[in-house]
Amino acid sequence: MIVADDAALFRAGIGRLLADAGFDVTAEVGDAAALLDAVERDPPDAVVVDIRMPPTRTTEGLDAARSLAERHPDVGVLVLSAYVEPHYAMQLVESGTSGTGYLLKERVADPGELTDAVRRVAAGGVVIDPGVVARLVGRARARNPLDALSEREREVLAMMAEGRSNQAICERLFLSPKTVEAYVHNVFTKLDLHQAADTNRRVLAVLAYLRA
């Protein structure tokens, strides 16, 4: 595990949280170039990288994620951001690369949220921050097909967009597997989306719909 953030205290804090959760943190670096060098020397299962780092503090972390997807596709990448920026999140996941995620820094206040996200991207999953999903789901449209969904179906849709598996949705909403399967089926049917067994394809289908 490698952590990249130009704020030394924040970087050290993330490293400590991950280490306490059982991750082997092999490096902590302060910029994207150092991150790429560290991965070249010893590819980890995953990296956690701030979206804005020196020298321009714009999209260095996002650019590094793209480079890693090309050069080290087996390395999961979790990008952290201080702001809800759906367009950056979409750029990250719409590449179709497995093991990618976008999480708000405020989630770090809950170590469980951070460690869960890291484990999911390390395993090849897609993670989208609930704040981004809420922004997309809550957008106003002249004719909004989401109006056809029940409140519970909207909850299930939001969790699907975050990259949650059916089992994870069961655990979050305290529902049986068959009930969740029924809600998922209803969501896909009402929104005219093609079902996909692969979790990443399912997430991408949902996000593509929400962006439309």
Side-chain angles (χ1 to χ4, degrees):
M1 174 65 58
I2 297 175
V3 179
D5 194 293
D6 64 299
L9 289 178
F10 185 82
R11 182 173 70 240
I14 293 293
R16 179 61 182 273
L17 284 176
L18 294 174
D20 288 348
F23 292 95
D24 182 15
V25 180
T26 58
E28 297 176 10
V29 299
D31 58 61
L35 168 63
L36 296 176
D37 288 343
V39 173
E40 288 293 337
R41 289 194 303 271
D42 184 16
D45 291 331
V47 303
V48 177
V49 55
D50 186 8
I51 197 170
R52 303 179 190 277
M53 289 192 295
T56 68
R57 300 183 189 280
T58 54
T59 61
E60 281 81 3
L62 195 64
D63 296 337
R66 294 194 188 101
S67 295
L68 290 175
E70 294 176 1
R71 293 154 57 180
H72 297 278
D74 293 333
V75 175
V77 180
L78 181 65
V79 175
L80 298 182
S81 176
Y83 310 101
V84 177
E85 299 170 302
H87 54 296
Y88 287 144
M90 297 304 98
Q91 287 178 33
L92 184 66
V93 301
E94 285 182 344
S95 65
T97 305
S98 297
T100 55
Y102 179 98
L103 202 67
L104 291 180
K105 283 189 169 182
E106 65 187 50
R107 305 293 172 196
V108 175
D110 182 350
E113 285 278 351
L114 175 65
T115 56
D116 176 61
V118 171
R119 289 191 176 95
R120 287 161 60 194
V121 298
V126 173
V127 175
I128 301 295
D129 191 276
V132 172
V133 175
R135 178 76 63 85
L136 293 171
V137 172
R139 276 187 316 142
R141 300 188 198 177
R143 296 179 60 190
N144 193 344
L146 294 180
D147 291 340
L149 301 182
S150 68
E151 182 177 349
R152 182 64 90 182
E153 288 166 351
R154 283 172 176 259
E155 289 181 301
V156 170
L157 171 66
M159 291 188 181
M160 288 165 59
E162 290 168 21
R164 306 284 180 184
S165 65
N166 280 12
Q167 182 58 42
I169 295 173
C170 290
E171 294 169 359
R172 286 296 184 95
L173 299 181
F174 304 102
L175 298 172
S176 71
K178 285 188 176 181
T179 299
V180 169
E181 288 175 9
Y183 280 128
V184 170
H185 175 76
N186 289 346
V187 167
F188 276 107
T189 298
K190 291 181 178 181
L191 301 184
D192 195 26
L193 288 169
H194 297 293
Q195 290 204 54
D198 179 80
T199 301
N200 292 351
R201 284 188 295 144
R202 183 169 87 163
V203 171
L204 292 173
V206 172
L207 290 175
Y209 175 82
L210 291 177
R211 285 195 72 192

